[in-house]
Amino acid sequence: MDDIALAEVTRGGRVESLHLGRIAVTDDTGRVIRGLGAVEAPVFPRSTVKALLALPLVETGAADRLGLTDAELALACASHGGEIPHVRTASRMLAAAGQSVACLECGAHWPSFEAAARAVASDGAGPTALHNNCSGKHAGLICLAADQGLDPKGYVDPAHAVQRQVTSALEMATSVPHTERNRGLDGCSMPTYAIPLSALATGFARFGTGRNFSSGHASAAARLRSAVASEPFMVAGSGRFDTTLMAHFGQRIFCKMGAEGVMVAALPECGLGIAIKTSDGANRAAEVALAALLLELGAPLWSSADQEVLHGLSCQVLKNWNGREVGMVRAAGKG
């Protein structure tokens, strides 16, 4: 099945652009509840799976032994904007592992949050790997290595003992092999594995319910969901979709945006997982499509305040440089 229209961009009351993609909604057995587009075709999940990668950090007891806080566990699941609290939290995680920024193998880039980037520029020092949106995930892997007495050097290599543990967690969650045959390289130098969109949705249905996980992994998933719900700022940052959604819904919804228009969500109360992929890699389209889908799927559960938040996220106003409204990004067919 061809990809379908997920989102449209308007200007002057007309549709100016259209974003195509696909959506998979599954339960924790892997049954596809709703499939729109080619949901069995493989996609690279990119950063959407950070919470699954953090499962061994909690399940092994490393997080407790190192005294990691909810903020630090949330950052391990994050694609953050490089704001000061993100940078400081990543630094504390490294300190807990007895390491410094020099241990990070994610590379440095400017903060994606504009105000944070300006602050770094005004200091004249330039960004470090702590500003990388993936620094929390990498710090979490370094913590796992340190707790097990492993040399963290090369922790991004698929052959590293830490990498083998987190890859096993991905396989457990999605029921799909992760080998060199479906391996790619992510922007932060971590492996990323192409899997069916439906399998990605299944992984997050399981992450939400704990079913089809071992008892240890189910407990770890619950701990991570709780950490993210209590510290949603750490998962993304100021003005970001993920933070806005989870700040309102708490543990009722877990969501995570990834690069190239991949989005996932877990609805523990419904026992469902969602995965979205936009054809053109547009994150804005995945955001509005998820919000509109949540409005529909959770209608019996949502209060009027819940619905208001979701409606606002599914119809994002666009303004020009003078602050004047010029149109919107909205779920396709909702005009």
Side-chain angles (χ1 to χ4, degrees):
M1 182 187 297
D2 293 335
D3 287 349
I4 64 164
L6 293 184
E8 52 195 27
V9 185
T10 70
R11 187 181 300 270
R14 299 172 182 270
V15 174
E16 182 178 35
S17 301
L18 196 65
H19 295 289
L20 304 180
R22 41 196 148 131
I23 297 175
V25 182
T26 73
D27 64 18
D28 54 29
T29 70
R31 181 169 64 99
V32 177
I33 306 300
R34 181 177 302 184
L36 303 174
V39 299
E40 299 306 320
V43 302
F44 285 110
R46 305 295 297 273
S47 289
T48 62
V49 294
K50 286 178 176 176
L52 302 181
L53 295 172
L55 287 170
L57 178 63
V58 178
E59 190 270 339
T60 61
D64 286 335
R65 286 188 289 270
L66 294 174
L68 298 186
T69 64
D70 280 353
E72 290 159 355
L73 289 177
L75 196 76
C77 304
S79 295
H80 62 75
E83 298 176 68
I84 289 174
H86 299 131
V87 171
R88 289 176 176 169
T89 302
S91 184
R92 287 197 303 269
M93 294 173 71
L94 292 173
Q99 299 292 338
S100 70
V101 63
C103 193
L104 290 173
E105 299 182 13
C106 53
H109 66 65
W110 289 94
S112 59
F113 185 62
E114 185 176 351
R118 288 179 177 176
V120 172
S122 68
D123 288 342
T128 72
L130 291 169
H131 295 97
N132 187 303
N133 76 96
C134 296
S135 65
K137 173 182 71 176
H138 285 249
L141 296 178
I142 291 167
C143 284
L144 181 59
D147 179 72
Q148 297 179 355
L150 300 170
D151 183 354
K153 185 177 181 179
Y155 66 86
V156 298
D157 190 305
H160 194 283
V162 161
Q163 207 52 236
R164 292 199 300 269
Q165 291 176 65
V166 298
T167 301
S168 177
L170 293 176
E171 292 181 329
M172 177 271 303
T174 62
S175 297
V176 176
H178 288 53
T179 70
E180 68 279 0
R181 297 183 64 180
N182 59 337
R183 183 191 303 145
L185 190 64
D186 214 330
C188 66
S189 295
M190 279 275 290
T192 182
Y193 296 87
I195 62 173
L197 192 69
S198 58
L200 182 59
T202 299
F204 281 91
R206 294 171 176 172
F207 181 76
T209 67
R211 291 191 290 270
N212 292 297
F213 274 15
S214 69
S215 60
H217 284 108
S219 177
R223 172 87 179 276
L224 290 167
R225 293 198 315 273
S226 176
V228 166
S230 67
E231 298 283 352
F233 174 82
M234 288 298 165
V235 180
S238 300
R240 295 274 294 279
F241 180 95
D242 294 4
T243 290
T244 299
L245 186 69
M246 292 190 289
H248 177 82
F249 283 91
Q251 292 201 53
R252 292 181 292 161
I253 297 175
F254 170 88
C255 74
K256 183 68 185 69
M257 189 77 232
E260 295 299 325
V262 189
M263 169 71 85
V264 299
L267 282 70
E269 294 172 293
C270 302
L272 299 177
I274 299 169
I276 298 172
K277 174 69 175 85
T278 62
S279 304
D280 60 358
N283 287 5
R284 65 181 184 178
E287 291 175 353
V288 299
L290 176 61
L293 182 61
L294 289 171
L295 260 176
E296 179 182 349
L297 289 175
L301 302 174
W302 309 143
S303 67
S304 58
D306 297 338
Q307 293 178 45
E308 183 177 353
V309 168
L310 291 172
H311 178 73
L313 291 172
S314 67
C315 298
Q316 300 180 16
V317 172
L318 297 174
K319 295 183 178 181
N320 66 15
W321 294 109
N322 285 322
R324 299 178 62 185
E325 185 174 332
V326 298
M328 68 174 59
V329 184
R330 66 190 182 197
K334 301 299 182 181

